[in-house]
Amino acid sequence: MEQPLGYLKQRINDDWLIDHDSHLLNTITEEFFQQLTQFSKGGIPPKLLIAEQNPLRFLAAFLAAVAAKCPVFLCNPNWVQQEWQQVFERVQPDLIFGQPMKLPITHYPLPITHYPSPNHIMIPTGGSSGKVRFAVHTWETLMASVQGFHQYFGNNCVNSFCVLPLYHVSGLMQFLRSLTTGGQLIITSFKQVEAGENFKINPTEFFISLVPTQLQRCLQSPALTDWLSRFQTVLLGGAPAWDSLLEQARQYNIPLAPTYGMTETASQVVTLKPKDFLTGNNSCGQVLPHAKVTIRSSTDERLGSNQIGMISIQSKSLSLGYYPIRMSEKWGQVKNLSNLNSDDLGFFDDQGYLHIVGRSSRKIITGGENVFPAEVEAAIQSTQLVNDVCVTAIPDLHWGEAVTAVYVPRSETISTTLLQATLKDKLSKYKQPKHWVPVASIPRNTQGKVDYEQLQNLVMTYPVFE
């Protein structure tokens, strides 16, 4: 299998990065590669944390790290200090490429600790506790995802229009598809798209990936709606889309391709092709060639068509586990085909299309981002402004789900405005509640556990939601 520098070498005379200098990418990658080689001790490569704001430098650092066989951690430069603290305590990096915001400077100088298993690619994802954790991938698992996508869509060059973060698996995979299949790539921000910037591409030759919130915003603009309708394919993932959004996209003839996948699967393992979407199909589509998806009961029995159960995934693109890898966290290896039981509920119809019906956990997906109530509740409790709190979600046409905090204020002087201001630097913006519901007490049973059915009824009947 071709390695990163091999793909770059093949494209050295190809101007494939639109609005960026393709040749500069090669130069910076080589410079980073030499730096990483020099930092290796006794043949052991350093642990590298990438927090580059500049997309060209981010991609160069990523390619150089993989080529130098470094364990590399992809990071969000805009994490708040609490999140950086978690990362540093767990990772203890040897090197940092980039200047992340709110970095806890107490960690300098960095220790040279080294990671015992090189050549791993750590991609950030949420955990059951809401803390930052990293899914452990390899170049091979990422390439398996690229190959499955490439085959599913006809083995042509994959041109990508990327508005998603490169440290997310969704953005990273767009880059890898274009790099390795001979396609073109444009990297920009969604804000520039909304501003109506004129991009020098032919949309009919490009894939674009969006989360439902971004699609919703585009459909509010006639110009952007027309622009999206001219793309080859509009991949939609990150969170389940609501039926009214899908119907609106269909009315405007948007070539939508809803997907199902996660960081642990190196993006999508199920995708609906636009021709099926435009004829009225609202499923997630069919399984890509590199994966196998089954529906299983709570006793691990495989279920048949139209039977709802837990979604189980087998794929060569599955991550090896979470950093640091422990035997109990491995999915298990069977002839290079791993197995992962998700917490998603769904079923296959008689034609083999996957339908997602919900999740077995309390995880909230808002604007394509995972939010775990336990983390938000802990942050609100840490303000010492509430006596009790429970975080849930309400349906939202803009975000898919809106994070909602039900709380018991410590005194009558505690306002929502004060809570919001106090919480500002404790959580990333997407994790902060969009709605606040003050109550005299949170409904709990005799064991002290929250009565979520009663809580949800309370939230949905609160005046602001009427």
Side-chain angles (χ1 to χ4, degrees), residues 384-386 407-419 438:
Q384 300 185 1
L385 298 175
V386 302
Y407 70 100
V408 179
R410 181 150 291 186
S411 71
E412 293 180 356
T413 62
I414 304 301
S415 66
T416 294
T417 302
L418 177 60
L419 278 166

Side-chain angles (χ1 to χ4, degrees), residues 24-180:
L24 183 59
L25 175 64
N26 292 55
T27 301
I28 300 175
T29 301
E30 183 61 33
E31 291 176 355
F32 283 164
F33 178 75
Q34 295 300 328
Q35 290 181 38
L36 293 173
T37 302
Q38 292 171 7
F39 271 99
S40 295
K41 283 195 171 183
I44 302 176
K47 280 186 293 184
L48 174 65
L49 185 154
I50 301 178
E52 287 280 0
Q53 296 272 6
N54 180 284
L56 209 61
R57 292 179 64 84
F58 179 96
L59 296 176
F62 170 76
L63 293 173
V66 177
K69 301 187 182 301
C70 292
V72 55
F73 296 78
L74 310 186
C75 298
N76 178 357
N78 299 310
W79 277 332
V80 298
Q81 182 163 335
Q82 183 179 358
E83 290 164 319
W84 279 118
Q85 194 75 32
Q86 293 174 22
V87 171
F88 268 70
E89 289 176 356
R90 172 160 291 198
V91 174
Q92 297 182 20
D94 301 320
L95 291 172
I96 300 174
F97 280 1
Q99 295 184 351
M101 297 175 62
K102 300 180 180 178
L103 188 68
I105 59 174
T106 55
H107 286 278
Y108 289 104
L110 299 175
I112 301 293
T113 55
H114 293 301
Y115 180 54
S117 300
N119 214 25
H120 284 167
I121 300 163
M122 271 58 73
I123 304 177
T125 183
S128 58
S129 65
K131 294 183 178 180
V132 177
R133 63 177 177 175
F134 293 90
V136 181
H137 278 282
T138 65
W139 181 254
E140 288 71 28
T141 61
L142 300 184
M143 287 302 99
S145 176
V146 169
Q147 291 164 5
F149 181 98
H150 194 213
Q151 183 179 343
Y152 189 71
F153 281 100
N155 290 318
N156 297 314
C157 295
V158 179
N159 300 319
S160 300
F161 190 105
C162 182
V163 297
L164 299 175
L166 294 171
Y167 57 81
H168 272 192
V169 72
S170 54
L172 180 68
M173 295 311 300
Q174 291 180 70
F175 162 67
L176 291 176
R177 290 173 199 145
S178 294
L179 169 68
T180 60

